[in-house]
Amino acid sequence: MLARKGLVPDGFLLTRLAEERNQPNRKRSRCQRARFITKTGSCNVAHKNIREQGRFLQDVFTTMVDLKWQHSLLIFTSAFLCSWMLFAMAWWLLAFAHGDLQPRRLQRADAVPCVTAINSFTSAFLFSIEVQVTIGFGGRMVTEECPAAIVCLIVQNILGLIINAVMLGCVFMKTAQANRRAETLIFSRHAVVAPRNGRPTFMFRVGDLRKSMIISATVQLQVIRRTVTSEGEVIPVSQLDIQVENPLRSNGVFLVSPLVVSHTLERGSPLYDLSAHSLATADMEVIVILEGVVETTGISMQARTSYTPDEILWGRRFVSIVSEEDGRYCVDYSKFGNTLAVRMSALSAKELEQARGAREAGAEVQEDARPQGWGLVRAGRGGFRRGGRACEGAASRPWYDPGREEAAQ
C-alpha cells in the first residue's frame, strides 16, 4: 500500500522479500506463541466477558472516535436523520394544532399560519432540514403567529449546532489520530544480535519516511515473558524494561535519518542469559515503543512493533545505508533491512563472562605458581648467570666492588 502511494520505493519491498527468502531456516515450534503486539503496531489482545458495558457510554466522544469508519458514518447519518425527523414531527404538530393543514383555513385571506407553505408532513420535513442545515430556500418561514414555533426554532438551532460540533470533532480526531503518523515510521522486520565493542548487542533499525521530524522522540524496549516466582506463582505476562544504549543514559533519539538502536547484553539485562541455542526455544517477545510529538501538528504519537525469537537473527548485523553525496547525506531505503553475517560465539553473554573470568583466574594461578628468583642476574664483570640465588658455601656479595669504586675516585 505504501509503495502504491509513493512513500516507499519499490526496491525496498523487493529487498524485504529477498531478505525473507535468504534468511537461514530456523527451527520453529508447531504451536507458535501468540504475540501481544503485531508487526503493524496493533495490540493483539481480546477483551471478553466485560459486564460493565455502561462505562463506555460515560465517555461517548472517545467511544465514537475508537469506532470503525463504517460504524461512525452510520451513527452520523442516523443522528442527522433522527433529528430532522423529530423536528419535522414537531413542525407538523404545530401546524396541525394551529389548523394550518385545513384547506378552508388556508383559503381565508386573513389567515396567518405558524409556518408558511407547510401543507403536509413532507413539507414539514423539508422545513426541518432547512432550519437545521441553515439552507433557507425562502419558500417557508416562521411567522409571529405562534410563540411555540419560535421556541421550537431556537431549540432546533441549538441542537443542530451541538450535533454538528460533535460530528466534526469526531471526524477531525479520527483523521488526525496519532497512529496515522506512525504509518510512515518503519522498523526492520528482523532484529539482530552481533558483537559491538567486544560485547554481544541486541539491535534493530528504525526510520522515518517523512521530512517532517518527530520532536522529543524516545525509544522504549520491553521484554514480555512468562516467569515463575520463588513462591511458585506463575506470571503469564511479566514486563521488564530494557535500557537503550545511549551515552546520555536516556532513551531519547534524534530521528533525522534511520538509526540502529542497540542494547548491550550485560549483567542486569533481561537478555543476559540469551544464547544462540536458547533463542530458538525462548518464550519471550521484545516490544519496541517509539513516542514523540509530530512537528507539523503538535500531536503526540506512538509507533509500536515487536520481535519474537524467530525474528531475531544471531550473528548478523545491519549494513550501512547512509552515504554522503554532493554535500548531503543520502539514505538508500532499498537496503533498510539487509544484514550480513559476522563471526560471533554461540554462547550467551553470561557464559562468555564466566569463561573470561575462568581464564583470568587460571592465568593468576599460573602466575602465582611460577618459581621466584629465576631470571637473568648480573654475575661479575659484565657477565650474567642464570638464577638469582648464590651457590652453597659462597658468600653473597654484590656484583660490584665498593672498594674499587672508592680507589677509582
Side-chain angles (χ1 to χ4, degrees):
M1 181 179 67
L2 294 177
R4 291 197 301 268
K5 294 180 180 180
L7 297 177
V8 180
D10 295 337
F12 172 72
L13 300 178
L14 295 177
T15 307
R16 279 289 183 87
L17 296 177
E19 176 191 358
E20 296 176 4
R21 185 179 302 174
N22 294 332
Q23 295 299 339
N25 295 328
R26 306 183 63 182
K27 296 180 181 179
R28 299 185 183 182
S29 59
R30 295 182 179 179
C31 183
Q32 290 187 348
R33 179 177 179 270
R35 61 197 310 161
F36 284 92
I37 303 296
T38 62
K39 300 301 289 185
T40 58
S42 59
C43 298
N44 190 25
V45 179
H47 301 277
K48 296 183 178 180
N49 300 326
I50 300 178
R51 299 181 180 180
E52 299 181 0
Q53 298 286 349
R55 292 181 177 270
F56 294 98
L57 299 179
Q58 296 178 2
D59 189 4
V60 181
F61 185 78
T62 305
T63 303
M64 294 179 63
V65 172
D66 291 339
L67 291 176
K68 296 182 179 180
W69 270 109
Q70 54 267 29
H71 299 158
S72 298
L73 292 177
L74 179 62
I75 293 176
F76 296 165
T77 306
S78 301
F80 283 111
L81 289 177
C82 290
S83 63
W84 294 340
M85 292 292 294
L86 177 63
F87 284 98
M89 182 63 68
W91 292 116
W92 184 84
L93 290 176
L94 287 174
F96 178 79
H98 193 257
D100 298 339
L101 301 180
Q102 299 177 3
R104 297 179 180 178
R105 180 178 175 84
L106 296 176
Q107 292 177 358
R108 294 173 51 184
D110 58 343
V112 179
C114 291
V115 180
T116 59
I118 289 185
N119 304 322
S120 61
F121 182 79
T122 304
S123 59
F125 181 75
L126 292 175
F127 181 70
S128 176
I129 296 176
E130 294 177 12
V131 171
Q132 188 165 334
V133 190
T134 64
I135 297 177
F137 291 113
R140 301 176 181 86
M141 65 185 69
V142 179
T143 63
E144 302 176 355
E145 184 68 17
C146 301
I150 299 175
V151 174
C152 184
L153 178 66
I154 295 174
V155 172
Q156 185 174 5
N157 283 330
I158 294 175
L159 184 61
L161 290 175
I162 294 175
I163 294 176
N164 290 335
V166 173
M167 298 307 170
L168 289 176
C170 289
V171 172
F172 172 76
M173 292 302 298
K174 288 182 71 66
T175 55
Q177 281 183 344
N179 55 2
R180 306 302 178 188
R181 178 62 176 87
E183 294 292 338
T184 52
L185 288 173
I186 56 176
F187 297 89
S188 58
R189 183 174 183 83
H190 295 89
V192 298
V193 177
R196 174 175 283 188
N197 297 327
R199 292 181 174 270
T201 306
F202 174 85
M203 294 176 287
F204 65 92
R205 179 173 277 168
V206 59
D208 190 3
L209 299 178
R210 290 187 181 274
K211 293 184 178 180
S212 58
M213 296 180 56
I214 303 296
I215 303 175
S216 302
T218 58
V219 176
Q220 182 181 0
L221 299 181
Q222 286 188 349
V223 173
I224 294 182
R225 59 173 48 168
R226 177 178 176 271
T227 58
V228 180
T229 62
S230 57
E231 294 80 10
E233 180 185 2
V234 178
I235 303 178
V237 181
S238 177
Q239 299 184 13
L240 303 174
D241 290 335
I242 300 179
Q243 177 64 39
V244 177
E245 193 70 19
N246 196 328
L248 300 178
R249 289 299 177 184
S250 66
N251 294 346
V253 295
F254 185 50
L255 201 57
V256 66
S257 64
L259 298 177
V260 176
V261 183
S262 61
H263 165 69
T264 304
L265 307 185
E266 56 187 0
R267 185 172 299 179
S269 171
L271 306 178
Y272 185 57
D273 300 335
L274 190 66
S275 64
H277 301 290
S278 63
L279 179 61
T281 59
D283 186 11
M284 68 173 188
E285 180 179 354
V286 180
I287 296 179
V288 181
I289 303 173
L290 191 148
E291 296 179 343
V293 179
V294 183
E295 183 181 19
T296 55
T297 61
I299 300 177
S300 300
M301 55 79 57
Q302 184 181 91
R304 300 178 295 267
T305 190
S306 67
Y307 297 100
T308 54
D310 58 326
E311 295 171 347
I312 301 176
L313 307 180
W314 190 274
R316 304 185 71 90
R317 69 180 181 186
F318 292 103
V319 300
S320 178
I321 61 175
V322 180
S323 60
E324 187 175 357
E325 299 178 3
D326 300 332
R328 62 178 182 177
Y329 293 96
C330 298
V331 180
D332 186 5
Y333 280 98
S334 63
K335 302 177 182 178
F336 185 83
N338 290 6
T339 60
L340 53 88
V342 294
R343 296 183 59 184
M344 183 179 180
S345 174
L347 300 178
S348 64
K350 181 179 181 181
E351 295 171 345
L352 289 175
E353 186 172 349
Q354 292 176 353
R356 188 182 301 110
R359 288 196 301 266
E360 292 177 356
E364 291 178 0
V365 170
Q366 292 178 3
E367 185 69 23
D368 295 339
R370 286 184 59 186
Q372 299 295 329
W374 290 92
L376 294 178
V377 181
R378 191 69 175 265
R381 301 177 181 178
F384 294 87
R385 61 182 174 85
R386 181 69 60 178
R389 296 181 180 177
C391 297
E392 249 181 67
S396 62
R397 61 179 181 179
W399 59 272
Y400 64 94
D401 190 354
R404 182 177 298 177
E405 286 190 356
E406 292 177 2
Q409 292 178 357

